[in-house]
Amino acid sequence: MFFCRALRNCSTARKRLALQRIGVITLGATVAAFSMVFIWTFFDPNITPYEAYLGGLIIPLVIAPLASVVTLRLQIRVEELADENYKLANVDSLTGLPNRRAFMHRAEALQVLAGNGRIFVCMIGDADNFKRVNDTYGHPVGDDVLAFLGNQLLALEMDDGVVARLGGEEFAVAGLFGSLEEARTYGDALLGSIARQTFVGRGVSLSVTISMGLAVDRGGEGVSALLSRADKALYRAKADGKNCLAEAA
């Protein structure tokens, strides 16, 4: 029962790892105990081998699993706290996407890989008329719409790319492309995919679109500078009628 309580809230992978560790520790303790008992019987003629080996078997089989469960329970809790801290620091709680901090880290890593026929591109997307959604249907619906947009963007995330929520109704995309035309095609595909979907939730059904700004790394630019240029292009996309992609100068 103690063992079950200790591992009750663990994931399947953690339970499997815990069982493996407990088995290894118990086996190791048993082997060590039998080795010491074997040596002990040579130096103590007053103890029978049966008593010695029985003690060497019972002690590790009882104590080792209990001690292992306590230790592993503490270790698992530490790992769970580490996972929670990582999510708080790197994951947007509303959409499940990487947050700005995680986006910058991943985007910078991708930027280093640019070259050899591949260009690095940053895009910023902003939900169109989002204030109207909040004002008309309320913030709970607005939050669900943002989660809906996050899922749509994540569904088209590239292998050599990252999608994130920067904050509010603003999302970011960064990735490696074979050409500017390929990046434009990808951006248009994102816009088209979202425009074709209908958000349904909390008794509300509505179409949602986003506008996007795109900036190509010209060399010597940091990710922040690229995002700044993409943001300016985003304003132009809004001015051009929304639900479109504009390229930074």
Side-chain angles (χ1 to χ4, degrees):
M1 182 177 293
F2 176 76
F3 174 77
C4 293
R5 284 201 306 268
L7 301 179
R8 180 176 51 195
N9 297 323
C10 297
S11 65
T12 302
R14 282 203 170 107
K15 286 179 181 178
R16 188 182 300 112
L17 179 60
L19 290 171
Q20 291 174 348
R21 288 177 177 174
I22 290 171
V24 170
I25 293 172
T26 302
L27 179 61
T30 303
V31 172
F34 265 71
S35 298
M36 289 186 288
V37 167
F38 180 76
I39 296 173
W40 184 13
T41 56
F42 276 99
F43 294 97
D44 188 351
N46 296 320
I47 187 170
T48 65
Y50 173 78
E51 293 174 337
Y53 286 119
L54 183 62
L57 178 65
I58 293 176
I59 292 175
L61 288 180
V62 173
I63 295 178
L66 291 177
S68 299
V69 168
V70 173
T71 302
L72 288 171
R73 186 179 184 183
L74 292 174
Q75 180 180 343
I76 289 169
R77 182 54 183 158
V78 169
E79 292 175 353
E80 289 174 343
L81 289 173
D83 289 344
E84 291 173 9
N85 289 334
Y86 176 84
K87 289 179 180 178
L88 288 173
N90 296 278
V91 179
D92 175 61
S93 60
L94 179 62
T95 63
L97 294 176
N99 59 18
R100 177 183 288 271
R101 178 179 182 275
F103 173 81
M104 296 297 290
H105 179 76
R106 175 61 177 153
E108 288 169 356
L110 286 169
Q111 187 179 25
V112 174
L113 300 177
N116 297 320
R118 297 198 297 177
I119 60 173
F120 178 69
V121 174
C122 281
M123 305 180 199
I124 288 185
D126 187 89
D128 295 327
N129 306 313
F130 186 71
K131 184 178 185 301
R132 186 186 304 169
V133 173
N134 276 336
D135 292 344
T136 303
Y137 304 105
H139 288 280
V141 170
D143 287 347
D144 289 349
V145 167
L146 292 176
F148 166 80
L149 289 174
N151 287 333
Q152 299 303 312
L153 291 169
L154 186 61
L156 292 176
E157 185 180 47
M158 305 177 302
D159 291 337
D160 289 328
V162 58
V163 174
R165 181 188 177 207
L166 298 185
E169 64 268 31
E170 198 168 64
F171 297 86
V173 179
L176 298 171
F177 297 89
S179 65
L180 175 57
E181 186 59 36
E182 184 180 312
R184 288 173 181 154
T185 300
Y186 175 76
D188 288 336
L190 288 178
L191 296 178
S193 177
I194 291 172
R196 287 190 296 270
Q197 303 298 321
T198 300
F199 167 79
V200 179
R202 298 182 187 268
V204 174
S205 177
L206 57 97
S207 297
V208 184
T209 62
I210 66 171
S211 301
M212 297 192 76
L214 178 154
V216 180
D217 183 12
R218 297 180 297 199
E221 286 184 292
V223 174
S224 295
L226 278 168
L227 287 178
S228 179
R229 288 203 294 119
D231 195 45
K232 292 177 181 177
L234 170 62
Y235 278 102
R236 195 164 68 254
K238 294 284 189 182
D240 289 343
K242 303 177 182 178
N243 189 29
C244 63
L245 176 70
E247 184 182 337

